[in-house]
Amino acid sequence: MDALLAALADPVRRRLVSLLAERPRPVGVLAQLADARQPQTTKHLQTLERAGIVTSQRTGQRRIYALRAGPLRELAAALSRLADAADRVGGPHTTYDRYGLAVHTERLAAQEPGWADDRSFTFHRSLPERPELVWRHLTETALLARWWTPDDLRVCELVFEARPGGRIVQEYRDAEDTGDSDPVAGRAEGVVVDVSPGESLAYRLSPLLPDGRLAFTAHVDMELRPNGAGTDLDVRWRMTDSTVESADFVAGIEIGFGQSLDKLAATLAANPHDDTDGTDTDGTDTDSAGRADGTARTDTRSAT
């Protein structure tokens, strides 16, 4: 395909292909119709022939060129598959477009500090596991690292001290940036407010702007309730301290945290009755003593 695309990159060669699509033609006629010199036309036709797009045969003193439809159909099919992948309903490109519209809307609204204060978001998920296991996924860093980022991101640093006053640090990068060559995608810092194991969790979390200032403060309240099949999880976000520069962050809350909760549900479904034995997702050991007193804290800089 590379040779085919390279051959078609030149506008003169594309013109020759168009002419040959009508009917086979000799070099001299092609040169006239393409308004080009014959030696140059011959070189272009040879390039197209090497790429498999055209074929030729000598008839008397003339060489006649004809178009081969097969390679063009294969190229068209490959390009069509790429377009179909990009247009897949609900796929990454749909999310990208949705986020772009949200960013535009929020930037127009962000005219002065406090512009998004008291904005709230609610989320609900019915999770396929008992509250005790869901609680572990909400508070233990080894399990948090599996789901606590939107799609296409990975945790590179995570601290969650699951006790009142405990510290929270969340930093993440692009999931494919294994060499840390791209800037950090995001960082947030916060504090745990209230802990009722298996029942409720409350914390404050503030995304940081590139200069280190807080973008806004999210007040997050989670409630867990057992149901017949597992656990109902209800989450409420409420915002304060919003800055003008926080518009891009605000635009991504509903999409990003919703994706994270979907990953939590998928993780629980894929690993029923998961009893992590103190090994973090990147192979490092979590402090089991810390878990015993209600504190979960580890550094997952290489978690994927």
Side-chain angles (χ1 to χ4, degrees):
M1 184 184 295
D2 289 344
L4 189 61
L5 290 171
L8 293 173
D10 186 281
V12 175
R13 290 197 285 270
R14 290 199 299 275
R15 171 62 175 155
L16 293 173
V17 168
S18 297
L19 291 169
L20 290 173
E22 298 171 356
R23 66 177 180 85
R25 287 184 161 112
V27 177
V29 172
L30 288 168
Q32 292 178 34
L33 295 175
D35 195 21
R37 291 187 300 169
Q38 187 163 325
Q40 292 176 326
T41 302
T42 298
K43 289 182 179 180
H44 283 309
L45 290 167
Q46 289 171 345
T47 297
L48 292 170
E49 191 165 19
R50 285 193 298 270
I53 305 172
V54 303
T55 185
S56 68
Q57 62 183 10
R58 183 169 292 280
T59 302
Q61 299 298 314
R62 302 187 306 164
R63 178 167 291 277
I64 309 296
Y65 282 85
L67 188 67
R68 298 181 66 239
L72 293 179
R73 293 188 189 281
E74 292 173 5
L75 176 60
L79 294 176
S80 180
R81 287 192 295 271
L82 291 176
D84 289 344
D87 282 343
R88 188 173 70 253
V89 175
H93 288 270
T94 301
T95 302
Y96 178 85
D97 292 340
R98 180 184 168 197
Y99 175 66
L101 291 173
V103 166
H104 177 71
T105 300
E106 301 296 1
R107 286 178 179 175
L108 291 176
Q111 297 299 315
E112 58 185 20
W115 66 279
D117 286 4
D118 292 325
R119 178 92 63 92
S120 63
F121 301 86
T122 58
F123 304 87
H124 174 81
R125 293 295 186 279
S126 292
L127 303 173
E129 272 298 344
R130 64 190 187 279
E132 293 80 4
L133 183 56
V134 173
W135 177 261
R136 291 182 56 197
H137 279 76
L138 297 178
T139 58
E140 294 181 14
T141 53
L143 300 177
L144 267 169
R146 299 182 184 181
W147 68 269
W148 203 21
T149 57
D151 290 350
D152 303 322
L153 296 175
R154 64 176 177 88
V155 172
C156 57
E157 182 180 356
L158 181 59
V159 175
F160 197 99
E161 299 173 342
R163 54 177 173 76
R167 190 166 66 102
I168 304 173
V169 176
Q170 181 196 37
E171 185 172 281
Y172 43 91
R173 292 180 177 273
D174 190 285
E176 297 176 332
D177 182 20
T178 57
D180 294 349
S181 58
D182 211 38
V184 170
R187 182 180 176 88
E189 298 177 357
V191 61
V192 176
V193 176
D194 186 54
V195 174
S196 296
E199 297 179 359
S200 64
L201 175 67
Y203 58 85
R204 296 191 303 270
L205 191 64
S206 298
L208 302 185
L209 296 168
D211 61 6
R213 291 182 297 124
L214 302 187
F216 63 86
T217 298
H219 303 258
V220 183
D221 294 285
M222 297 184 170
E223 292 187 1
L224 296 81
R225 298 186 309 279
N227 60 34
T231 303
D232 284 329
L233 175 65
D234 289 295
V235 184
R236 183 173 183 269
W237 274 59
R238 181 177 62 85
M239 296 174 52
T240 61
D241 309 319
S242 55
T243 63
V244 172
E245 297 88 348
S246 68
D248 291 8
F249 293 87
V250 175
I253 291 173
E254 192 168 16
I255 297 171
F257 197 70
Q259 289 180 340
S260 294
L261 291 177
D262 289 342
K263 288 169 67 175
L264 171 60
T267 298
L268 289 166
N271 301 281
H273 314 299
D274 190 348
D275 290 318
T276 300
D277 58 2
T279 301
D280 206 343
T281 52
D282 64 350
T284 59
D285 288 337
T286 304
D287 183 354
S288 58
R291 273 200 219 154
D293 66 8
T295 299
R297 183 178 186 277
T298 191
D299 187 346
T300 61
R301 292 179 186 273
S302 60
T304 56

